[in-house]
Amino acid sequence: MVDSQPQPVQPSQPQPRSRSDSPLVSVIVPVYNAQRFLPYCVDSILRQSYANLEIILVDDGATDDSPAICDDYAAKDGRIVVIHQPNGGIAKAQNAGLDAAHGRYLAFADNDDILDSRNIEILLHALESTGASMSKGRWSQFGVSRLDEVADLARLGAADPETVTVFRNPLRAYQSVFCKSLRLLLDAMGRHGEARYFNEANWCRLYRRELWDGVRFPEGMYAQDVMVAGELYSRMDKVADVNAVLYHWLQSGESVTHSQRSLGFYHDNVLAGLTNFDHAMANGVTPARSYYTMTEQLREAEQAYGRGDAAGSDADTRLLADDRAQVRKAIRRLTVCQRLRCRVLAAARYAEKLVYDRRIKSMR
């Protein structure tokens, strides 16, 4: 079982709201060396059909024109708050935004992505009308050559969603429904597989502010979003999925996810997988996604180390050996049935990743 049967609800239409009846939504955007893409992102937030926004641009010590671009936008629109800080990584920037946010609801955006102009309106309506802890929409991926085309599409605004699906136990869904092949099978069975899929990214979601009380991203590591995923999802009572594309995710070879291949990068992801593995086991959930994360990232680390990409010091050798031992120790905690399920899903997801890497990460 993945979780209790999700319940599709007939979506009502968002209604016009007065300023006094419109809760403040804080949108947090970490900014670093994104001068080419940043205007597309900020413009897409400023064009939101829902106007009561606090837009927090956190300049994380950018060395290009991004800081000046942020300041220029703030001078033109009073909803924008700019924080300038020394470079400390995306987690530090996200935490600065969380600490500065005043909104009843919180959203995140990456500084090179584009939001549909109805993103906040639709997600807020879904969240409030269902009483969910978090609402989420669907996203599309695009290459740099389509920046202007996608910006024009986002400006038009998505149609009202045909369905909104509400499900409980998002931690179980996160750990279970992460393979595309499984989602297609569940959809064919009427089990709403696609509605229950979400990754560790924080964008294209709207959160109730209290979910983040006492939760901050661990600073100084690459997998900061994975590290907090389990804790966040276990705090949620239910999640509302909106069947509409509300976010456009730029695929750039310069991004950390696509370009980083250091041993430290793989170690951080193994550590995050182990952390969520422990969290899932403590909550009685089979940690299939975390099994995939830690074993796949360990395999990547071993391959990189074998090629010499990450090899070097004795400390690297010890780090890799320790990661290998920790992963094996975690797997031994699984029952035979759990281990079989994790292996099957991990094999399916790894095969899908090979296709993904060829078709998505190579977008231009």
Side-chain angles (χ1 to χ4, degrees):
M1 296 292 292
V2 285
D3 57 23
S4 58
Q5 178 70 354
Q7 298 298 316
V9 297
Q10 187 63 36
S12 58
Q13 307 306 319
Q15 300 297 317
R17 308 172 72 148
S18 66
R19 182 80 176 185
S20 60
D21 188 40
S22 301
L24 181 66
V25 176
S26 296
V27 183
I28 299 168
V29 186
V31 176
Y32 183 74
N33 289 1
Q35 61 182 23
R36 179 181 179 186
F37 310 116
L38 183 59
Y40 289 90
C41 176
V42 178
D43 285 343
S44 73
I45 301 173
L46 291 174
R47 292 194 185 102
Q48 289 297 301
S49 56
Y50 187 86
N52 195 17
L53 303 176
E54 175 187 52
I55 305 165
I56 305 174
L57 306 179
V58 185
D59 160 35
D60 188 44
T63 57
D64 64 357
D65 290 337
S66 297
I69 294 172
C70 291
D71 290 338
D72 287 345
Y73 272 107
K76 297 173 184 176
D77 196 307
R79 295 177 297 173
I80 294 178
V81 176
V82 179
I83 299 172
H84 296 288
Q85 64 182 32
N87 178 250
I90 187 171
K92 185 175 181 180
Q94 289 172 315
N95 289 341
L98 285 168
D99 292 341
H102 297 92
R104 186 188 305 174
Y105 304 105
L106 302 176
F108 294 85
D110 284 354
N111 62 189
D112 52 1
D113 295 339
I114 297 174
L115 281 67
D116 183 90
S117 62
R118 297 187 67 199
N119 179 292
I120 301 298
E121 173 198 355
I122 291 175
L123 290 180
L124 178 60
H125 180 71
L127 190 152
E128 291 189 325
S129 63
T130 63
S133 303
M134 181 188 82
S135 58
K136 65 185 184 71
R138 311 293 174 85
W139 60 86
S140 69
Q141 295 148 312
F142 70 100
V144 175
S145 64
R146 296 184 59 226
L147 265 172
D148 292 314
E149 175 190 346
V150 171
D152 290 341
L153 175 65
R155 189 180 295 112
L156 293 176
D160 290 329
E162 294 182 0
T163 58
V164 173
T165 304
V166 179
F167 63 92
R168 296 184 181 274
N169 203 339
L171 178 63
R172 190 178 300 277
Y174 165 73
Q175 286 287 356
S176 303
V177 192
F178 62 98
C179 296
K180 183 67 175 179
S181 51
L182 175 61
R183 299 189 323 255
L184 291 172
L185 176 62
L186 289 172
D187 281 344
M189 297 169 58
R191 296 287 305 279
H192 309 284
E194 200 63 43
R196 284 184 286 184
Y197 171 72
F198 46 103
N199 56 17
E200 296 89 358
N202 308 113
W203 37 254
C204 206
R205 289 111 179 266
L206 191 64
Y207 301 90
R208 294 187 184 273
R209 179 190 180 90
E210 55 267 25
L211 288 173
W212 289 90
D213 289 347
V215 176
R216 290 296 183 268
F217 296 98
E219 299 180 9
M221 70 180 301
Y222 294 107
Q224 82 290 339
D225 47 2
V226 185
M227 285 290 286
V228 302
E231 173 62 27
L232 279 174
Y233 300 144
S234 62
R235 290 180 171 208
M236 298 177 188
D237 175 44
K238 55 186 177 180
V239 169
D241 172 83
V242 176
N243 185 16
V245 174
L246 301 176
Y247 192 93
H248 302 280
W249 178 18
L250 176 65
Q251 303 300 300
S252 170
E254 300 173 0
S255 70
V256 171
T257 302
H258 290 179
S259 64
Q260 183 57 248
R261 292 296 181 269
S262 69
L263 187 59
F265 174 82
Y266 296 125
H267 166 71
D268 282 356
N269 279 277
V270 170
L271 178 60
L274 287 164
T275 299
N276 277 322
F277 184 100
D278 290 343
H279 186 84
M281 292 290 283
N283 283 271
V285 173
T286 300
R289 181 195 287 257
S290 296
Y291 175 98
Y292 166 76
T293 298
M294 64 190 193
T295 56
E296 193 271 336
Q297 290 296 296
L298 180 60
R299 171 170 34 201
E300 293 274 9
E302 290 172 333
Q303 291 176 348
Y305 194 83
R307 291 193 305 264
D309 295 355
S313 67
D314 291 340
D316 288 341
T317 303
R318 291 192 298 271
L319 183 65
L320 186 56
D322 184 63
D323 283 349
R324 189 182 298 116
Q326 291 300 317
V327 169
R328 289 173 177 171
K329 180 179 178 181
I331 292 174
R332 286 196 295 268
R333 297 172 58 194
L334 298 171
T335 66
V336 173
C337 290
Q338 286 178 320
R339 192 175 305 185
L340 177 61
R341 181 180 181 187
C342 288
R343 284 178 175 174
V344 169
L345 289 175
R349 182 65 187 92
Y350 183 70
E352 293 169 357
K353 178 180 181 294
L354 297 177
V355 177
Y356 176 90
D357 285 350
R358 288 198 305 269
R359 298 180 59 183
I360 302 297
K361 291 188 177 182
S362 61
M363 281 184 170
R364 297 290 184 265

